[in-house]
Each structure stands twice: as C-alpha cells, then as structure tokens.
Amino acid sequence: MSDLSAALRAGYQDFLASRSDAVFAILIYPLIGLVLVGLGFHMNFLPLLFPLIAGFVLLGPIAAVGLYEISRRREKGEDAGWRHVFSVVSSPSFGAILVLGLYLFVLFVFWMFSAQEIYRLTLGPEAPVSLFGFLSDVLTTRAGWVMIITGFAVGFVFALAALAISLVSFPLLLDRHVGVPVAVVTSVNVFLKNPRVVLAWGAIVAAGLILGSVPFFLGLMVTMPLLGHATWHLYRRAVH
C-alpha cells in the first residue's frame, strides 16, 4: 500500500514540474465531458447521461498516454515539454497503443448497451417526459432503485475489467517493445497478485475523477494529470 502514496507523491512532483504541459495533454478530456453532458440532457439520451459520464472514465487511460510520456522523459532526465506529448505517435508501440485503446472503446460500447438494456427493463422503454419526472421515477419508485442497484453492480464489473486490463498496460507499451497480449497479461497479473492494492488504487482514481468533475469537469485539469503521472510511477514500482 505504501507504493500508492509514493506514486501519488511522485506524480504530484511531475505535475508541479510540468503543469502547463500536463494540462495541455488532457484539455480535450473535460471538453468531451461537457459535450456528453449537453447530449445527455436531450430527453432521448437522458437515461444514459450518468452511464455516459461513468463510462467515459473507462477511456481515461487513453487520454493519459501523453502524461505517461512526460513522466517517462522526466525520469530519464530528458526534455519533457508539451511537444513530446505527440512523440507517442512516433513510438514503435503506437500501433499497439491504438489497438489497446480500441479494446477499451469496445468495452465502453458494451457498457452503454448494457446501461440502455437496464433502463429498458426497469423504467423504459419510453423516453422520460421531463428531467424532474425522470429524477422522481429514479429516486422514488421500486423500478428506479432496481435500475440504480443493477446499474452500479454491472458498472462495477466493467470498471474492474478496465482497471485490470489497463492498469500498467499502456505505460508498459510506452516503455518497452512488447505486444498487446503481453501488456494485457502483465496488467492482469499485477491485479491478481495485488488485488487489495489495485482495488485501493481504483478507488483513489474514481474519487479523483469524481472530484475533478466538479464544477463542469474543470477540476479534471488538475486531478487527471496528477493521476496520470502517478499511474506511471505505480507501473514502475509494479513491473520490473
């Protein structure tokens, strides 16, 4: 467990040293979050607003690849300016990183289909009439609470799968010339050998992203770089 606090401290130092570069690397992330919220307030998409935001977290490791590169270069004593965020494209493992990112995107799509099906079987299939009517149905009816509990249970499974797959796989691909299968198996092995530590890390990441979503996802410009840099240092401690 001490590795978690050490990784967070190291990530914080990276963030202090390259704040503007780190913020630039993930600026698109809060902007996409705002677009998703705007889309979700359309009545047809309202039941999927929370699943959209929650599922968006599954794609976080993809957005953090540039942060891993900054931390990697700082660790080696190399220049770690914002321009090097794009040097990931010239990495020999860039193709593998894209494939792994596609895996996470497919996981996100399956989560959204699952969330839609949960809504259909509980409060659906009709779209809500109004925002307040939808919130009332969710919080004051049995079907609404079944939807909440089932959604959290199924969402936890998807989040656990994403965590196990991506915990160290993206940093590993960036750091060494290995393929996607090796990276994913290594990440899953880290999870299986250290479940308590990995679950604690997942809780830290979830809490940081929730806090960063207030207000209007602007906090992600701080919490996302901090967690991204810390993930790199956690990888360095977990994989030898």
Side-chain angles (χ1 to χ4, degrees):
M1 296 296 286
S2 61
D3 286 330
L4 299 185
S5 57
L8 286 169
R9 287 195 300 270
Y12 180 64
Q13 292 302 317
D14 282 354
F15 177 59
L16 289 181
S18 55
R19 275 174 290 192
S20 59
D21 302 312
V23 168
F24 174 82
I26 56 89
L27 185 60
I28 190 66
Y29 200 76
L31 292 178
I32 293 176
L34 289 173
V35 171
L36 290 178
V37 170
L39 179 65
F41 276 108
H42 188 282
M43 285 302 113
N44 289 329
F45 292 101
L46 184 58
L48 295 179
L49 176 58
F50 181 78
L52 269 172
I53 296 172
F56 188 44
V57 174
L58 299 178
L59 306 178
I62 303 173
V65 169
L67 300 171
Y68 304 153
E69 176 65 8
I70 291 175
S71 287
R72 187 188 72 83
R73 296 185 70 88
R74 285 199 72 240
E75 187 178 271
K76 291 180 174 293
E78 301 173 354
D79 177 46
W82 65 268
R83 298 181 307 278
H84 294 290
V85 170
F86 300 103
S87 65
V88 174
V89 177
S90 60
S91 168
S93 298
F94 182 64
I97 291 172
L98 287 180
V99 170
L100 189 54
L102 180 61
Y103 286 174
L104 288 186
F105 181 74
V106 170
L107 198 65
F108 170 77
V109 171
F110 272 106
W111 158 242
M112 292 306 302
F113 275 121
S114 300
Q116 175 64 36
E117 187 65 12
I118 291 170
Y119 172 76
R120 188 186 70 81
L121 294 174
T122 52
L123 293 177
E126 297 82 8
V129 177
S130 68
L131 172 61
F132 292 109
F134 174 67
L135 291 177
S136 176
D137 289 341
V138 170
L139 298 175
T140 64
T141 67
R142 182 178 182 275
W145 280 103
V146 169
M147 184 186 73
I148 291 173
I149 294 170
T150 306
F152 269 100
V154 174
F156 177 78
V157 173
F158 277 95
L160 201 63
L163 180 63
I165 289 171
S166 64
L167 176 65
V168 300
S169 53
F170 282 99
L172 179 58
L173 287 173
L174 201 58
D175 189 38
R176 306 183 191 182
H177 300 315
V178 299
V180 171
V182 172
V184 171
V185 169
T186 302
S187 189
V188 172
N189 281 337
V190 170
F191 173 75
L192 293 177
K193 293 180 179 180
N194 310 274
R196 185 170 64 96
V197 177
V198 173
L199 289 175
W201 178 247
I204 291 171
V205 170
L209 293 178
I210 290 171
L211 290 174
S213 298
V214 182
F216 306 113
F217 298 94
L218 296 178
L220 290 176
M221 289 189 288
V222 174
T223 60
M224 187 75 180
L226 174 60
L227 293 171
H229 290 309
T231 299
W232 169 264
H233 293 286
L234 188 62
Y235 150 72
R236 295 289 285 158
R237 286 175 170 269
V239 179
H240 303 284

